[in-house]
Amino acid sequence: MEQLTHTSEASVTVAGKRKGNVKVALNSNQVKSLQAGVHADAGGLYLVVRKSGDRVWAFRFTDLEGKRAQMEFAKAGDRDSPSGDALTLSSAREKARDYKVALKREGIDPRVKKRATGQGSKTFKEFAEEQYPVWCQGLSEEELKQWQRSIRDVPSLHDKKLQEITTEHVLEALKAIWTLKPVTASRTRQRIERLMDAAKALRLRTGENPAAWRGNLKHLLPSPRKLNRKKGHRSAPYTKMPQMMTGLRYDAGNAARCTEVGILTVSRSQEIRLMEWTELDFEARTWMVPAEKMKIKGELEPKPHLVPLSDQAIEIIQSMPRTDKYVFPSDHAEQHQPFRANALVGAIERTAVKSTMHGCRTSFRNWGADNKEHNFRREVLEFCLSHRVGDEAELSYWDSEMIQRRRDALQAWADFIKPRKNTSGEQPPESKRQRLKLVA
């Protein structure tokens, strides 16, 4: 139906009479009776009557490049068709008005808007399930699962057509989870925004992105950072970390072993749960965390992160049976797959020490800051947590991994929370021996 021509006003027939300088628009009878030609209505709307008798509506406009153009967008009919292929005079005027507003206010070419309207019958869920599996190729299985959870979290958008989704729809979908789980909700919003951008790039919708944060949802929803800061990550005083590690040692499950190594390496939950045997180098005593599993503060694009392994961490890892790719597979799932995050939280709760995996990273940072024996540099501690410090100029000259310094810090941390076993047979100094109370 879409037809583009460059026209001259001489080819236009004005159907109505004039009253002074005012042109009278078309009426419904003229739409049916006018002879072959191009007949003007108003607001850029024209009725094109072909010699064959076919009657179609066209919209004439000046495009973004300053060229005159004509676009046919529907047949002329006695009633509107459900698909929009046939429109009455009043509906055609409304459609032409929409094209004109979109062109002047939003800078959207009517041809693009028409194409998006015609193809925009695809629903949000249909489009999402086409797109995100492709985006997740080459990434971890956890990334795919997170996309699936994000789509499940916004059921009110599932049956909405791409073209009809507005900021109000996105706002309604996010409000249900925004204050309950702000970090997850923020990531869900980012994924919706990416899907809407893709839909626009594929010309399946037009207009501004309804899930955009700046200049849009930022003014309608509280900051997820502030919400998360109020809730906070529960962390234990570092003086209680040896007690936590003792409790984990007596827990026989794989989740406890995963949690132990996560605390010893001060890694994030996702990083340690997805640890694979191929990422480990026992000779070099290191663990290379791939970029797709990382979230490094201070970097726009994640990079691989090399983690020095303490003696205690290596001992636990080597005690795990090598059954498949994951070092710490779930011992509750039928298939070989990693634990979910709440499994590690549960392992910590069973030690009777109140904390989260992220809170254990806070405990490490506080211990390092208070430690007088080693006097660790701030940069070393932050690098252990996979944070980058310094401004852009400083970071551009700083590409050292500080492996040995970080190894010393993580080994000292491991010796503090999980002292190495004494295999030499020597008695510890008197000052180090544990004094037991006599019970009468």
Side-chain angles (χ1 to χ4, degrees):
M1 176 61 66
E2 182 176 333
Q3 180 176 330
L4 174 64
T5 56
H6 295 286
T7 61
S8 63
E9 295 299 328
S11 62
V12 178
T13 300
V14 178
K17 297 180 180 179
R18 290 182 178 271
K19 292 183 178 179
N21 291 325
V22 179
K23 181 179 66 177
V24 180
L26 296 172
N27 58 51
S28 56
N29 290 329
Q30 289 174 325
V31 172
K32 298 177 184 178
S33 62
L34 285 171
Q35 301 300 311
V38 180
H39 308 281
D41 182 60
L45 177 65
Y46 290 80
L47 174 67
V48 179
V49 182
R50 298 197 175 99
K51 291 181 180 179
S52 62
D54 292 339
R55 298 168 185 270
V56 297
W57 297 114
F59 178 66
R60 288 188 175 181
F61 59 98
T62 302
D63 67 16
L64 301 176
E65 296 179 356
K67 297 179 181 179
R68 291 288 293 167
Q70 174 174 300
M71 177 190 73
E72 295 178 0
F73 59 89
K75 295 179 181 179
D78 293 333
R79 62 183 62 184
D80 296 336
S81 66
S83 63
D85 291 340
L87 298 175
T88 62
L89 174 59
S90 60
S91 296
R93 285 171 176 166
E94 186 176 343
K95 182 69 70 174
R97 192 179 306 115
D98 289 343
Y99 289 143
K100 192 171 185 179
V101 170
L103 180 64
K104 288 189 174 182
R105 294 183 182 177
E106 303 173 33
I108 300 175
D109 191 298
R111 290 161 290 189
V112 175
K113 187 173 180 65
K114 177 180 179 293
R115 193 177 298 116
T117 304
Q119 297 176 344
S121 59
K122 192 171 292 185
T123 66
F124 172 82
K125 188 177 182 182
E126 290 171 345
F127 183 67
E129 291 177 347
E130 287 178 5
Q131 294 299 314
Y132 71 75
V134 179
W135 295 338
C136 292
Q137 289 179 4
L139 302 180
S140 66
E141 294 178 11
E142 186 67 18
E143 184 69 18
L144 182 64
K145 291 178 181 178
Q146 288 177 359
W147 266 98
Q148 291 169 344
R149 285 195 289 269
S150 290
I151 301 304
R152 284 200 302 267
D153 279 347
V154 287
S156 62
L157 293 180
H158 287 184
D159 296 329
K160 291 280 190 301
K161 306 295 184 183
L162 290 173
Q163 180 59 31
E164 69 184 21
I165 294 176
T166 64
T167 296
E168 288 73 20
H169 294 140
V170 177
L171 184 64
E172 180 186 357
L174 291 175
K175 274 185 175 180
I177 58 174
W178 196 257
T179 56
L180 294 176
K181 39 186 180 179
V183 175
T184 301
S186 178
R187 291 171 183 167
T188 297
R189 184 207 62 77
Q190 292 170 19
R191 293 183 176 114
I192 297 172
E193 182 179 14
R194 184 177 179 184
L195 285 167
M196 293 295 99
D197 279 340
K200 186 175 181 178
L202 293 171
R203 297 184 176 181
L204 299 179
R205 64 169 283 118
T206 58
E208 299 298 325
N209 193 316
W213 180 249
R214 291 186 178 180
N216 189 38
L217 292 176
K218 182 178 181 179
H219 304 296
L220 303 173
L221 290 169
S223 167
R225 290 185 178 181
K226 292 181 179 179
L227 288 174
N228 193 49
R229 192 179 301 132
K230 290 177 183 178
K231 190 174 181 180
H233 293 288
R234 194 169 48 181
S235 61
Y238 61 80
T239 53
K240 288 192 175 182
M241 292 306 294
Q243 176 186 337
M244 180 189 294
M245 296 299 283
T246 299
L248 289 170
R249 186 170 73 244
Y250 289 103
D251 190 331
N254 285 355
R257 304 290 78 73
C258 182
T259 306
E260 280 186 293
V261 178
I263 295 171
L264 289 167
T265 56
V266 293
S267 55
R268 296 180 178 88
S269 175
Q270 173 174 296
E271 297 159 11
I272 191 61
R273 287 185 292 109
L274 301 180
M275 176 190 274
E276 299 180 23
W277 289 105
T278 55
E279 299 166 2
L280 297 165
D281 186 338
F282 290 109
E283 186 175 345
R285 304 171 68 80
T286 56
W287 167 32
M288 178 63 78
V289 186
E292 60 268 18
K293 297 180 184 178
M294 290 302 303
K295 184 187 76 172
I296 299 180
K297 288 186 179 180
E299 291 187 353
L300 296 177
E301 296 183 4
K303 297 177 183 177
H305 182 59
L306 189 64
V307 181
L309 296 174
S310 62
D311 295 340
Q312 292 89 327
I314 290 177
E315 181 183 2
I316 297 171
I317 292 170
Q318 290 182 331
S319 71
M320 298 298 299
R322 189 164 183 169
T323 56
D324 209 325
K325 69 175 186 176
Y326 293 115
V327 177
F328 303 106
S330 171
D331 43 16
H332 298 293
E334 295 181 2
Q335 297 179 341
H336 182 85
Q337 63 185 49
F339 284 101
R340 292 190 176 182
N342 57 6
L344 276 58
V345 175
I348 292 175
E349 288 179 350
R350 289 193 291 273
T351 67
V353 178
K354 295 182 179 180
S355 183
T356 63
M357 281 298 292
H358 200 91
C360 293
R361 288 162 54 85
T362 302
S363 302
F364 163 79
R365 186 61 179 84
N366 291 336
W367 166 82
D370 289 348
N371 193 293
K372 296 180 180 179
E373 179 182 355
H374 298 281
N375 193 25
F376 297 115
R377 286 176 54 184
R378 169 175 174 261
E379 295 85 351
V380 174
L381 297 173
E382 291 296 328
F383 212 132
C384 286
L385 295 167
S386 69
H387 295 167
R388 298 291 186 267
V389 293
D391 57 22
E392 185 177 349
E394 184 178 4
L395 291 173
S396 66
Y397 288 97
W398 188 354
D399 58 4
S400 171
E401 294 283 342
M402 296 187 290
I403 292 295
Q404 190 54 50
R405 284 181 175 270
R406 288 193 290 133
R407 187 182 298 280
D408 293 342
L410 290 174
Q411 185 60 62
W413 168 245
D415 291 340
F416 172 70
I417 62 175
K418 188 180 177 69
R420 284 177 275 193
K421 296 177 183 178
N422 183 1
T423 59
S424 63
E426 297 180 3
Q427 291 294 320
E430 183 67 26
S431 60
K432 299 286 185 179
R433 292 180 187 173
Q434 185 178 11
R435 295 185 179 181
L436 302 177
K437 295 180 179 180
L438 295 177
V439 179

